[in-house]
Structure formats: C-alpha cells, structure tokens
Amino acid sequence: MARQQKINYFTNLEKKSMFELKYKTPFEWTKVVIENFDEFLQDHAGAEKKASGMAMGMLGHYPDKIKLVRAMTDLAIEEMIHFKQVVKLLNERGETLGRDKKDDYVKLIRTIIRQGKDHYLLDRLIVAGVIEARGHERFSLVAQALSEGKEKEFYVAIAKSEEKHKNLFIELACEYYDEKRVMARLDEVLTFEAEICMKLPFTAALH
Ligand SMILES: [Fe+2]
Ligand SMILES: [Fe+2]
C-alpha cells in the first residue's frame, strides 16, 4: 500500500500554496547590490550553502517523515549546486568565496518559530517557505537589473528555482498540518517578515 502512494511533491506545487510577500523590496536595495556585485555574490554563495545545511538539518530532525526526507535530500543537493554555480561566477570575476557573515534577517525571522511538538515543524516549514519567497523576489530583482549575459541568465534561473522551493515548503506544511491552519500561520509569519524587512538596512547581501 505504502509503495503505491508514489511520492510526487513537485507535481501539484504550482496550483497550491501560492502566496505573496507583504513587503516589496525597493529599488534602493537592488542599486546597492548591483554597485557592489562581487560582495553580493560572496553573500549569495554563503546563503546557498546555509540553505543546503538547513535542508540537511531538517531531514536529520525528522527521519520518520518519508516525504520530507526525500524533498530535503533533493533540496540539499540543489542548493549545493547553486553554491557551486555562484562560486564559479565569483572565480570567473577573479574573486574568491568570502567568509560566512551573520544573517540578521534569518536570525530574526527564526524567533517566530514556536517550540513544542505541535508547532515546531509547522513553523519551521513556513519560515523556510517565506525565506525562499524572499529569495525568489530579490533574485528576480537582480535578474531584471543585470545587463544581458551569463550572470543575468543565472539569476533568472535561480529566481525560478527559489520560487519552486517556496511552494515546496508550504506544500510540505499542508502534508503534515491542516491547510487552513497552515494558511493562517503563514499570514502571521508574512506580517512578521515584512516588519523585519522594514527594519533592516540595505547592504550588498541577499538579506
Ligand atoms: Fe538556492
Ligand atoms: Fe532555495
């Protein structure tokens, strides 16, 4: 029976779980990024590496959840491929991978995660989905701002990929929790995330 329930997490993601961020990143952010593009790429590489580590952390935490383990395995690999691609862009520009920097945005958004068996996974999945959504928004802005070429093409592809990840996390949340509950909590997290974005300064970093 279990074998028959073929897992196809990527098939119906598009129809379900679409949501909008509540804060729109202004052009000032994109301007800082484009003017300090090497620095941005170094930060972006670090963000991809951390995203991969997060996916591995999730699957290690919930080894009994088949769908989650499979999805997080794919995600960890995909984020490391992104990492490799960003490092390649850096090297082609004569730059190296930078040191990891602290990410106040991620630190702050994670404070909304409630402890306790009933909430923890739900909140982790929703927060991860919102972080991916912000990545999708900002990589899209970078893609639009770059002039034609390899780097622009890369950011167009990255933005698409992060949009897929955004939906994946909400889809997973709906797998383990009632959809109404997921959507209600998502709304709260989106409000909280918008407040964080308003507070943080614009630097040549994803967040
Ligand atoms: Fe990524
Ligand atoms: Fe991602």
Side-chain angles (χ1 to χ4, degrees):
M1 183 64 191
R3 273 180 179 276
Q4 302 240 307
Q5 291 168 345
K6 216 129 163 34
I7 298 159
N8 53 351
Y9 7 85
F10 288 112
T11 54
N12 60 348
L13 292 179
E14 256 69 42
K15 343 181 225 178
K16 211 172 167 185
S17 77
M18 291 298 286
F19 65 91
E20 295 294 325
L21 291 165
K22 295 191 184 195
Y23 170 89
K24 196 170 174 292
T25 298
F27 179 70
E28 283 84 340
W29 175 83
T30 316
K31 193 170 175 283
V32 175
V33 166
I34 299 298
E35 285 171 358
N36 303 276
F37 199 57
D38 289 333
E39 200 186 319
F40 174 74
L41 283 171
Q42 286 178 329
D43 176 78
H44 180 183
E48 296 291 0
K49 182 162 63 74
K50 285 177 218 161
S52 180
M54 184 280 297
M56 284 189 272
M58 285 280 277
L59 69 88
H61 208 125
Y62 301 99
D64 56 329
K65 296 199 179 326
I66 295 171
K67 196 166 179 175
L68 183 145
V69 169
R70 289 186 60 178
M72 289 303 106
T73 303
D74 288 345
L75 184 63
I77 294 166
E78 196 177 333
E79 302 291 24
M80 274 316 279
I81 291 170
H82 292 168
F83 170 76
K84 187 177 171 182
Q85 290 168 328
V86 182
V87 172
K88 188 165 177 264
L89 286 182
L90 272 166
N91 294 161
E92 283 166 1
R93 294 168 68 92
E95 296 291 333
T96 54
L97 175 67
R99 290 203 181 278
D100 276 348
K101 286 192 196 138
K102 67 181 172 70
D103 189 328
D104 287 334
Y105 167 88
V106 171
K107 209 171 125 193
L108 284 169
I109 196 174
R110 287 186 63 84
T111 62
I112 203 172
I113 297 174
R114 296 162 298 178
Q115 298 299 313
K117 209 169 178 261
D118 197 39
H119 303 300
Y120 188 60
L121 176 60
L122 173 68
D123 285 3
R124 269 182 93 175
L125 291 170
I126 290 175
V127 163
V130 172
I131 293 173
E132 294 285 357
R134 184 59 65 194
H136 164 63
E137 188 228 21
R138 292 195 169 176
F139 291 138
S140 302
L141 293 174
V142 173
Q144 282 163 29
L146 287 169
S147 40
E148 291 302 324
K150 202 161 66 176
E151 288 164 354
K152 186 185 186 80
E153 280 168 29
F154 172 70
Y155 275 95
V156 168
I158 277 281
K160 271 192 203 141
S161 171
E162 306 307 344
E163 186 177 31
K164 198 177 70 184
H165 300 165
K166 151 193 168 180
N167 292 331
L168 167 68
F169 280 109
I170 304 305
E171 178 85 0
L172 277 175
C174 290
E175 180 72 20
Y176 300 115
Y177 298 89
D178 173 67
E179 193 171 330
K180 274 201 186 118
R181 190 177 161 199
V182 172
M183 292 307 155
R185 185 61 177 156
L186 174 61
D187 194 64
E188 290 171 1
V189 174
L190 286 168
T191 302
F192 185 67
E193 196 259 358
E195 286 162 12
I196 293 169
C197 289
M198 273 183 263
K199 269 190 275 186
L200 292 174
F202 300 137
T203 60
L206 177 56
H207 306 121

